């Protein structure tokens, strides 16, 4: 508790005190202790193996199924007592404060769900004789929603007060968490329905489908991690060709996500644009290293090779199925609103949305990064350059979205580049990503990032 801010400390204590007071003042006369014991064992088994989600540090406990079954089989008080099992779960054995809070959280969620079930006239005493649609399923759905809402709200409170998440992050990620909680909670209805016919064996019957569901979610998580590792390897291969662009792909990816979230993209499209930002320069693998690192002016052939890198990128990654819309961002991130970009000279709304997003993030990171031929520009200078390019180079909506996100979230510039001692690294004096830096073509022509001499 020493690491928690005072407000979070007070919040945790308040939630724990509320749950303790609620249970202490409840009556246990009608409680079926044998059912409680079986469900408690199921709760502990399920809670020991939470399902991982594709959200940072987020997991969904399978114990939601036992908690929601107790709403029907035991009522509000029984559901609250079952929630206290979180106090002794082995999953958080070295985090006593977290165990206390989670126990209180489950207890309050269970009590509220049980209360909603009763208020909706749910039949929890004789489900085998009830008219299930009117007397059980409808009230159960209401109780399930109440349980998930209370649970997520209590969790959001401690995350906000402990400054572990912002309101925006919670809103963005609560959807997937809620779906997982609702899904596992519905298994509780299966337990309650089987109980009158098979008794405590109902808890055993649901373990197999529960753990199959957990296995499936683990497979999805592992696949997501494999995707990330694949993309990271491609980015590392690109950046090995030029030490001065180390970390560029990751920062462009972050900037692209900032814009995407600011303009309200769906979560799946935000994930796709994160991939697109990481791989936007993967086509440099098809550009000769001597061209990328050339210290003098480019010949027309060399400049043409650089202009082809978006198309090379598409050729390299087009068979990676999970990229989908990201491919358009990779292909067209050097198009310009005035139609003078490359590789296809698209203009305005002809340019895919992903490409318009990446273009802004790409240019900003390039301008705020140190290159061999110039020091990094300040954030204010880069912002001013973005504003100058509105309507001509950049989509106005994307620039404004980026600037709003930048004001709120900030931007950490790259660290100074440390060149290896054992290699001779040539460095380029041109930057195709920087809208304010001219590319020089042999013969004296200067190309100011228009894509045409």
């Amino acid at each position: 508790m020493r690491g928690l801010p005072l407000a979070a400390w007070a919040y945790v204590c308040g939630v724990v005190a509320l749950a303790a007071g609620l249970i202490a003042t409840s009556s246990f006369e009608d409680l079926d202790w044998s059912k409680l014991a079986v469900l408690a064992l199921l709760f502990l088994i399920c809670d020991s193996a939470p399902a991982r989600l594709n959200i940072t540090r987020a997991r969904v406990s399978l114990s939601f199924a036992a908690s929601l079954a107790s709403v029907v089989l035991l009522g509000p008080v029984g559901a609250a007592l079952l929630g206290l099992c979180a106090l002794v779960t082995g999953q958080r054995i070295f985090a006593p404060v977290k165990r206390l809070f989670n126990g209180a959280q489950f207890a309050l969620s269970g009590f509220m769900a049980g209360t909603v079930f009763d208020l909706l006239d749910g039949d929890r005493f004789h489900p085998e004789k009830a008219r299930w649609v009117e007397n059980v399923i409808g009230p159960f759905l209401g109780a399930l929603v109440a349980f998930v809402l209370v649970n997520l709200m209590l969790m959001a409170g401690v995350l906000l007060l402990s400054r572990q998440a912002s309101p925006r992050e919670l809103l963005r990620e609560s959807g997937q968490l809620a779906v997982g909680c609702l899904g596992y909670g519905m298994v509780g209805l299966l337990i309650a329905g089987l109980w009158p016919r098979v008794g405590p064996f109902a808890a055993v019957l649901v373990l197999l489908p529960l753990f199959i569901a957990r296995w499936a979610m683990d497979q999805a998580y592992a696949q997501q991690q494999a995707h990330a590792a694949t993309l990271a390897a491609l980015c590392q291969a690109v950046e090995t060709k030029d030490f001065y662009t180390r970390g560029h792909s990751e920062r462009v990816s972050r900037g692209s996500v900032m814009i995407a979230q600011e303009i309200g993209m769906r979560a799946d499209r935000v994930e796709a644009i994160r991939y697109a930002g990481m791989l936007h320069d993967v086509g440099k693998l098809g550009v000769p290293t001597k061209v990328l690192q050339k210290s003098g002016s480019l010949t027309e052939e060399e400049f043409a090779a650089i202009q082809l890198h978006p198309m090379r990128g598409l050729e390299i990654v087009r068979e990676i199925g999970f990229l989908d819309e990201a491919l358009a961002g990779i292909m067209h991130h050097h198009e310009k609103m005035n139609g003078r970009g490359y590789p296809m000279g698209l203009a305005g709304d002809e340019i895919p949305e992903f490409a318009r997003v990446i273009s802004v993030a790409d240019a900003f990171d390039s301008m705020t990064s140190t290159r061999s031929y110039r020091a990094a520009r300040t954030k204010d200078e880069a912002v001013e350059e973005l504003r100058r390019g509105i309507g001509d180079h950049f989509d106005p909506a994307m620039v404004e979205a980026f600037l709003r996100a930048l004001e709120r979230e900030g931007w950490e510039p790259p660290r100074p580049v440390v060149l290896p001692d054992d290699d001779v690294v040539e460095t380029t004096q041109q930057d195709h990503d920087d809208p304010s830096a001219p590319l020089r073509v042999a013969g004296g022509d200067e190309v100011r990032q228009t894509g045409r001499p």
Side-chain angles (χ1 to χ4, degrees), residues 342-366:
Y342 60 86
M344 297 181 66
L346 302 182
D349 290 339
E350 294 177 342
I351 305 172
E353 186 178 32
F354 273 29
R356 285 179 275 143
V357 169
I358 295 170
S359 175
V360 174
D362 190 22
F364 183 83
D365 182 68
S366 177

Side-chain angles (χ1 to χ4, degrees), residues 148-264:
V148 172
L149 283 177
V150 172
N151 193 281
L152 292 181
M153 287 175 65
L154 290 172
M155 180 181 67
V158 74
L159 290 176
L160 288 172
L161 292 172
S162 61
R163 302 186 186 92
Q164 296 183 46
S166 68
R168 196 179 188 87
E169 290 173 328
L170 290 176
L171 286 173
R172 186 171 65 242
E173 298 178 352
S174 59
Q176 188 176 348
L177 282 171
V179 169
C181 297
L182 290 169
Y184 286 119
M186 284 300 295
V187 180
L189 185 60
L190 177 62
I191 299 173
L194 290 173
W195 196 284
R197 294 164 179 79
V198 299
F201 192 62
V204 178
L205 289 177
V206 301
L207 280 177
L208 181 59
L210 273 175
F211 278 92
I212 289 176
R214 178 187 179 277
W215 175 84
M217 294 187 75
D218 274 349
Q219 293 303 301
Y221 179 84
Q223 185 181 49
Q224 192 79 7
Q225 296 303 107
H227 291 170
T230 300
L231 302 188
L234 284 171
C235 292
Q236 185 175 17
V238 173
E239 293 174 0
T240 296
K241 302 186 76 170
D242 186 354
F243 284 93
Y244 279 91
T245 61
R246 289 294 171 92
H248 173 67
S249 296
E250 292 182 7
R251 293 190 299 274
V252 171
S253 177
R254 175 177 175 258
S256 299
V257 168
M258 288 166 60
I259 297 171
Q261 291 172 345
E262 188 67 29
I263 63 177

Side-chain angles (χ1 to χ4, degrees), residues 286-306:
V287 179
T289 303
K290 65 179 182 179
V291 174
L292 291 175
Q293 297 183 356
K294 186 174 181 180
S295 59
S297 300
L298 297 174
T299 66
E300 291 185 4
E301 291 78 11
E302 290 167 341
F303 182 53
I306 286 181

